[in-house]
Amino acid sequence: DTEVTQTPKHLVMGMTNKKSLKCEQHMGHRAMYWYKQKAKKPPELMFVYSYEKLSINESVPSRFSPECPNSSLLNLHLHALQPEDSALYLCASSQVWGNSNQPQHFGDGTRLSIL
Amino acid sequence: SQQGEEDPQALSIQEGENATMNCSYKTSINNLQWYRQNSGRGLVHLILIRSNEREKHSGRLRVTLDTSKKSSSLLITASRAADTASYFCATDAARETGTASKLTFGTGTRLQVTL
């Protein structure tokens, strides 16, 4: 079991639907991340939240809308997605970098299919 | 964008043998990390090596870092069938204290360990 929980595990949606992916951690981490991973490829960073504020947006299309309601939760709102958006979406969390370097803790992801 | 290249892309060995994976990167780093990903799961952090370190051990894992060549290697000794997974290096670029990390993943090595 991972310490970062993502729901749902699988999601199938049409291109006109609106859905949300959820991520939760209770490790006290103040940085949270969204990644997109296509099959047999490495994860690609989408967004970074630091202390509940968006600090990095890797030029992600506006049909993906992140939200960090509190220090434990991270959402990714989806609207009008395209078939090429089908992928595994991974959430991760970490300590904010201070005097020591900290690894990221990943959830098991949401496998998203766009019809 | 992807920064690291890993080789080999795929590696098949027998149980008990050693597995070596290599990673090259392009820019200055704060640290380099190795992650494992089992099929259909999230990434699991294995080991972190700082830019001022040259070698690090953790159980059956040995990581080396050569910042002059911008390369790292991961050695898994006495491999087991349970080591079958994809392995990714990830670089954390130099950044300000108190900011979240921004990992850039390598292309990954798919390791198959057979009985």
Side-chain angles (χ1 to χ4, degrees):
Chain A
D1 289 343
T2 62
E3 297 168 307
V4 176
T5 303
Q6 290 189 243
T7 56
K9 292 189 186 302
H10 302 274
L11 179 62
V12 179
M13 59 186 286
M15 288 190 285
T16 59
N17 293 154
K18 286 185 180 181
K19 297 286 185 183
S20 297
L21 309 185
K22 296 185 183 300
C23 175
E24 188 169 5
Q25 59 88 13
H26 294 287
M27 294 178 282
H29 291 167
R30 301 306 297 275
M32 296 187 77
Y33 311 81
W34 281 115
Y35 291 87
K36 174 183 177 180
Q37 187 179 27
K38 302 285 271 185
K40 298 187 179 180
K41 297 291 186 181
E44 295 183 357
L45 183 65
M46 300 174 71
F47 302 104
V48 179
Y49 273 84
S50 180
Y51 294 103
E52 296 85 69
K53 294 191 187 315
L54 184 65
S55 61
I56 297 175
N57 176 342
E58 292 286 273
S59 303
V60 179
S62 60
R63 57 185 184 269
F64 295 91
S65 176
E67 178 195 21
C68 191
N70 60 55
S71 60
S72 300
L73 294 174
L74 186 66
N75 298 322
L76 186 63
H77 303 298
L78 315 173
H79 174 55
L81 295 193
Q82 303 297 309
E84 61 265 28
D85 297 324
S86 297
L88 181 68
Y89 288 83
L90 294 164
C91 173
S93 70
S94 74
Q95 299 281 9
V96 177
W97 190 54
N99 293 323
S100 62
N101 301 286
Q102 299 293 334
Q104 293 185 14
H105 298 250
F106 283 80
D108 280 339
T110 293
R111 188 160 299 282
L112 177 65
S113 298
I114 307 300
L115 300 178
Chain B
S1 61
Q2 295 176 22
Q3 175 176 227
E5 295 291 328
E6 292 184 53
D7 76 272
Q9 289 187 336
L11 179 61
S12 183
I13 60 174
Q14 291 191 321
E15 204 170 46
E17 295 181 335
N18 296 341
T20 299
M21 297 159 234
N22 302 296
C23 168
S24 61
Y25 58 92
K26 297 177 182 175
T27 62
S28 296
I29 62 170
N30 175 278
N31 64 74
L32 186 143
Q33 304 176 30
W34 285 90
Y35 288 81
R36 184 188 75 228
Q37 185 176 32
N38 290 85
S39 181
R41 302 295 299 272
L43 282 77
V44 175
H45 178 261
L46 296 176
I47 196 166
L48 181 154
I49 186 165
R50 295 184 177 86
S51 59
N52 61 355
E53 297 177 312
R54 292 297 167 257
E55 188 171 314
K56 202 162 183 179
H57 297 256
S58 176
R60 295 184 294 114
L61 305 180
R62 172 178 171 258
V63 168
T64 61
L65 178 64
D66 187 334
T67 53
S68 67
K69 295 181 179 178
K70 290 186 168 60
S71 67
S72 175
S73 67
L74 171 67
L75 169 66
I76 304 174
T77 60
S79 63
R80 306 166 180 168
D83 294 329
T84 294
S86 291
Y87 291 81
F88 295 95
C89 67
T91 51
D92 191 358
R95 49 190 162 77
E96 297 177 6
T97 300
T99 61
S101 65
K102 180 181 175 182
L103 295 182
T104 303
F105 286 85
T107 49
T109 293
R110 294 189 303 279
L111 174 66
Q112 176 77 42
V113 181
T114 56
L115 297 173

